[in-house]
Amino acid sequence: MLTDLFTPSVQHSLDLAGIFVFAISGALLAVRKNFDVFGMAVLAEATALGGGLIRDLIIGAVPPAAFTDLGYFITPLVATVIVFFLHPEVERITKAVNAFDAAGLGLFCVAGTVKAHSHGLGLTFAATLGLTTAVGGGVLRDVLAHEVPNLLRWDRDLYAVPAMVGSTMAALLIHYDALNVTTSMISAATAFVLRLLAMRYNWRAPRAWHRRSAATEDPATGSGAV
């Protein structure tokens, strides 16, 4: 497990950092949707903890970590308070927030893969839950906000694919008994860099082959998983 690779304090700090930046994105979406402070808190909590909660319930790690560590619950509320009072300033540093979000994506996809495998899942399903850990909260956020989830929209930069790459790398490292602090961070960094490049160069996943439609494409209903 990652707890065997990092000291408990370092692992806890990494978890809280990822939770915080995911919570910021949830609270910002709530502001854009004109939600009240309670709605902001709900979206922040769902975004930050949703992926890990789904993973823990699937692997039977109950009660989930989100309900056993007060820091995990409080951190999204802190993010909510910051966005509540300073959302114009936070919006102005969206690029920085997106960069931290990419870092959280990388950390969570690796951590989720390793935790799932440590609870007895095969490598394929462990990597799948690593992906779920990284993107599950964002899906819950979008559903609660009545949005088409970003990773299902053709007009969004690659998000799930970088997490998938990081999860797969972690699974392969486990298979070859090569997972350690250095290699786990390389896996997380790979997902992080791929996400940054996708944002920088607007990389998107391909849609259906030979798709022939003269109709104007509607971003809200377009297809294609990213």
Side-chain angles (χ1 to χ4, degrees), residues 156-176:
R156 291 292 186 267
D157 304 329
L158 293 179
Y159 193 81
V161 171
M164 194 181 305
V165 171
S167 299
T168 301
M169 287 181 63
L172 289 173
L173 289 168
I174 293 171
H175 177 72
Y176 291 107

Side-chain angles (χ1 to χ4, degrees), residues 98-119:
N98 287 340
F100 284 114
D101 180 87
L105 183 82
L107 290 171
F108 277 25
C109 71
V110 174
T113 300
V114 176
K115 184 170 183 177
H117 183 264
S118 71
H119 279 73

Side-chain angles (χ1 to χ4, degrees), residues 43-137:
L43 283 196
E45 293 280 358
T47 308
L49 304 177
L53 183 62
I54 294 170
R55 176 203 61 213
D56 288 350
L57 291 176
I58 290 175
I59 65 179
V62 292
F67 290 93
T68 58
D69 190 313
L70 187 61
Y72 287 8
F73 180 77
I74 294 296
T75 299
L77 298 182
V78 173
T80 299
V81 172
I82 292 173
V83 173
F84 181 82
F85 288 106
L86 301 174
H87 63 88
E89 287 76 11
V90 176
E91 289 278 13
R92 281 197 287 269
I93 58 170
T94 297
K95 288 185 178 180
V97 172
N98 287 340
F100 284 114
D101 180 87
L105 183 82
L107 290 171
F108 277 25
C109 71
V110 174
T113 300
V114 176
K115 184 170 183 177
H117 183 264
S118 71
H119 279 73
L121 267 66
L123 294 177
T124 299
F125 297 112
T128 301
L129 277 190
L131 170 63
T132 301
T133 305
V135 306

Side-chain angles (χ1 to χ4, degrees), residues 151-156 158 203-226:
L151 81 167
L152 299 180
R153 294 180 59 168
W154 67 268
D155 60 331
R156 291 292 186 267
L158 293 179
W203 289 349
R204 295 169 184 172
R207 288 182 284 166
W209 187 252
H210 289 162
R211 182 176 183 270
R212 302 174 185 274
S213 175
T216 301
E217 293 166 331
D218 181 0
T221 59
S223 60
V226 298

